[in-house]
Each structure stands twice: as C-alpha cells, then as structure tokens.
Amino acid sequence: MKTKIVYVLVSDEKDLYLEQAWLSVYSLRLHNPTAYVVVLMDDNTERSLVGKRNKFCELVTEIKVVDVPIEYTPVQRSRYIKTKARQHVVGDFLFIDTDTVVTDTLDELDNMEMEIGVVPEFHIDLNHFPGVSGLHAIAQQLGWSYNENDKYNYNSGAVYVKDTPTAHQFYQMWHECWLKSVTVLHRHHDQPPLAMANHLLNHPIVPLNGVWNCQILERGIFYLPDAKLVHYFATSRLKSKDDYIYVLEDSDIFREVKELGAISKRTHQLLADAKRVCNSRTQIVAGAEADLLYTHVYRVIKKLYRRYPGMFRLLNNMLKYLGNIKSNLK
C-alpha cells in the first residue's frame, strides 16, 4: 500500500491518548503490517516518549515533530497540528483519529480517485442531522451561512487526501478557519472550520463510503459488517460502563496498556475481532424511538435515572399506576 496512514498525537504521562493511539496503530498493523505510519506530534509529546511509552514508537514508521505556538493548550495543539497535516506529510494519506480501530486491509486507498474524501457526520445528510440549528449558529458566528450546496456535516475522524494543489489549498483554508474559530469563538473544535473551508472553496470534499469511518455510536451499524475503520468516539469514556456500546470504549483497557507498556493477549483478541465486540445489552432502535434520544425530555429522564434513582422510580411507578387506571376505565 502506497497511501500513508497519519495520526496526530498530543499526550503526556497523565492522560490516555498515547494508549488510545497505541490500540489504533496496533489494530492497523494486524491488517496492514507494511503500512507506512506517520505520527505528527508536538515537542512536549516527543519528550514524553520514554520508558514504557517509548515502546509505542516500535509500531510507527515516522515520527515528525511540528512546531506549535507555546501558549496553546494540549487540545488546541492537537487541532493545530491536525489542520496543518497536509503541509507536513509527503504523498497521499489517510488521516485517522486515535479513538479508532482498524478492522480490515486498507489497500483500496491506493485506488481512490477523489482528491479529498470524508465520511458524513453520523452517516446522514444535513436535512436529517440532529442539532442542525447549532451548526447554523456556529457558522453565523464565524461569518458564513450554509446553503443548498452544503449537503453534509463531515466527521474529521478519517480524512483521505491526495498530494495535490487542491488538497493543499483545502488544508490551508481549513487551518485558517480553525485559527479564526479559536480567536473569535475560543473553540478548539475542528469540524465547524472543516465545514467552513469546504463551503468557501466550493465543496471540494467528496463523501466517502461509511465503511471508512464507521461511527459505531451513531448509525454505524449499517456499515459495521464491511467496516475498514471503527470510530468509537473518545468522549464516550465519560459514560458509565453499563452504557458502552463498544467494548473498546472502556478506559480500563487503555490503563492496562499504560501499565504493561504493551498489548495484552486479551486486548489483542478484542482488536483482532473488533467488529464483534459490542455490549451484550445493546439494543437497536429506529424511527420515532431513535428521534426521542435527541430530545430534551430524554436527557432529563436519563439524568433523573442516573442521579436520582429514587425519584425516577417514584415517577415511573406513578406513571405505571396512571396507566393501569386508564386501562381499567376502557
């Protein structure tokens, strides 16, 4: 495979981002042992690669340190490097976020014809996107507006780019839009600037098939059987373990890697069969039931269930009682 695989890593001994990247690169090597892997990082991260952390480097082909403004926070440093990746890598590449698992060979990348390819966020178009009003609000704050040509909100967890003038121009615009977002809105997120860059450059992004970024928590079930890459979203680690859909969301796995400085046999098996490691209590919902998950009512009920179980049981019993009365009156 000629196409390079690119990661961005900003990490220190206190966090779990290196361990997260470790799992992803390890899974990549299981299916693509000869892949050329580039990890872009800041100088602080490079200095932290000592002891057990240094073993991660054995999986990587090339480590490249990128200069980053010293005043930036770690998350800002990560997004700064991410939006400048095209400038620092020679050749076509697939950028991959660290909260991912590679589940198949990626040889088909060499046959890609588009210059820039990205999978839509949540695997849906803007017309059906939950919270689309929030996207419009951020766009307006950044000085632009969506129009009928903006079909998707793209997920930047996997970005395919060729080494062409168009791709370089796009990344330059993406980075400039990100800098504006940081300065004007004090937001570190890179996806609103991605959408802005795509809009301003007349939509050079081509939608990639969902198998290249199977967002397991958001409609990814349709793409899981043929997935090349599973994206489980690092932010999901904030959830209770009972709520994990994907086993590899469990931060205990990352802590095990940190402690061992290696991938255990158990974790190796999980990564080798990563399309099947879902929570046994997972249930698929669709239609109106799925829509309810994005309502404020659902969020309130969920919060009540978690934080105030006694109050939740009382409310549930009251509704059950009222339901029984209604049934008896029929």
Side-chain angles (χ1 to χ4, degrees):
M1 183 174 68
K2 296 179 180 179
T3 306
K4 296 178 179 179
I5 307 301
V6 175
Y7 291 88
V8 170
L9 179 64
V10 173
S11 173
D12 61 29
E13 297 85 350
K14 298 178 182 178
D15 62 49
L16 296 172
Y17 294 118
L18 179 134
E19 291 72 25
Q20 194 178 88
W22 202 321
L23 289 180
S24 186
V25 180
Y26 187 92
S27 68
L28 171 70
R29 291 294 186 201
L30 285 177
H31 302 282
N32 305 269
T34 63
Y36 193 101
V37 181
V38 182
V39 178
L40 304 176
M41 61 180 64
D42 64 345
D43 55 348
N44 292 336
T45 301
E46 184 191 36
R47 285 193 293 269
S48 77
L49 298 178
V50 296
K52 294 177 181 179
R53 287 170 65 86
N54 187 256
K55 294 182 180 180
F56 166 75
C57 301
E58 297 174 5
L59 294 170
V60 177
T61 312
E62 178 185 358
I63 289 177
K64 192 163 188 177
V65 177
V66 177
D67 291 333
V68 181
I70 192 170
E71 67 271 16
Y72 281 168
T73 65
V75 67
Q76 289 173 333
R77 295 167 80 84
S78 172
R79 303 310 189 273
Y80 180 94
I81 298 172
K82 179 175 180 177
T83 57
K84 287 178 71 73
R86 179 65 280 176
Q87 178 181 330
H88 296 284
V89 180
V90 176
D92 303 346
F93 68 76
L94 176 70
F95 165 81
I96 303 176
D97 268 346
T98 57
D99 55 346
T100 56
V101 178
V102 178
T103 55
D104 203 347
T105 176
L106 305 182
D107 290 345
E108 293 175 33
L109 289 170
D110 288 349
N111 300 321
M112 293 283 190
E113 295 183 356
M114 78 279 288
E115 293 183 87
I116 308 168
V118 189
V119 176
E121 175 89 327
F122 299 170
H123 300 288
I124 53 175
D125 59 36
L126 271 179
N127 290 332
H128 300 91
F129 193 85
V132 68
S133 60
L135 298 179
H136 284 284
I138 294 172
Q140 290 177 357
Q141 291 169 348
L142 288 173
W144 70 283
S145 299
Y146 285 89
N147 61 31
E148 65 277 3
N149 295 318
D150 296 294
K151 306 295 185 182
Y152 302 99
N153 184 45
Y154 289 100
N155 183 280
S156 63
V159 181
Y160 172 79
V161 282
K162 289 191 180 298
D163 195 348
T164 63
T166 296
H168 281 266
Q169 180 189 32
F170 176 79
Y171 260 79
Q172 180 63 34
M173 180 63 75
W174 186 11
H175 185 66
E176 290 175 4
C177 293
W178 181 82
L179 290 174
K180 182 176 182 179
S181 180
V182 170
T183 303
V184 175
L185 304 183
H186 306 290
R187 290 174 58 92
H188 66 264
H189 307 87
D190 59 81
Q191 284 185 187
L194 179 77
M196 182 178 180
N198 189 50
H199 175 87
L200 294 177
L201 293 176
N202 198 24
H203 312 94
I205 296 179
V206 175
L208 267 180
N209 188 300
V211 300
W212 291 100
N213 182 1
C214 174
Q215 298 154 60
I216 192 67
L217 308 186
E218 296 289 350
R219 301 170 183 81
I221 190 69
F222 302 106
Y223 302 96
L224 186 58
D226 300 312
K228 302 288 187 180
L229 180 75
V230 172
H231 189 180
Y232 55 84
F233 298 113
T235 52
S236 66
R237 296 205 311 268
L238 302 175
K239 299 189 303 186
S240 164
K241 288 186 179 184
D242 287 340
D243 286 346
Y244 290 159
I245 293 177
Y246 198 58
V247 172
L248 292 167
E249 295 177 66
D250 190 348
S251 58
D252 286 349
I253 295 176
F254 306 131
R255 293 190 179 92
E256 179 189 69
V257 175
K258 181 185 286 289
E259 181 179 344
L260 296 176
I263 302 295
S264 68
K265 290 183 178 180
R266 172 182 173 273
T267 301
H268 170 89
Q269 290 300 320
L270 291 176
L271 294 172
D273 198 22
K275 294 181 183 179
R276 300 174 184 268
V277 289
C278 291
N279 189 328
S280 60
R281 294 176 61 193
T282 299
Q283 183 170 341
I284 299 174
V285 297
E289 290 188 34
D291 292 340
L292 282 172
L293 300 179
Y294 295 96
T295 65
H296 290 289
V297 172
Y298 173 78
R299 292 172 189 168
V300 170
I301 294 297
K302 182 178 178 180
K303 184 176 181 179
L304 196 65
Y305 179 81
R306 292 199 177 289
R307 298 188 181 182
Y308 309 100
M311 190 178 298
F312 177 87
R313 286 193 297 270
L314 177 61
L315 177 61
N316 188 57
N317 289 334
M318 288 174 59
L319 293 174
K320 182 179 179 181
Y321 176 73
L322 292 174
N324 289 336
I325 292 178
K326 183 178 179 180
S327 296
N328 292 332
L329 292 176
K330 289 183 178 180

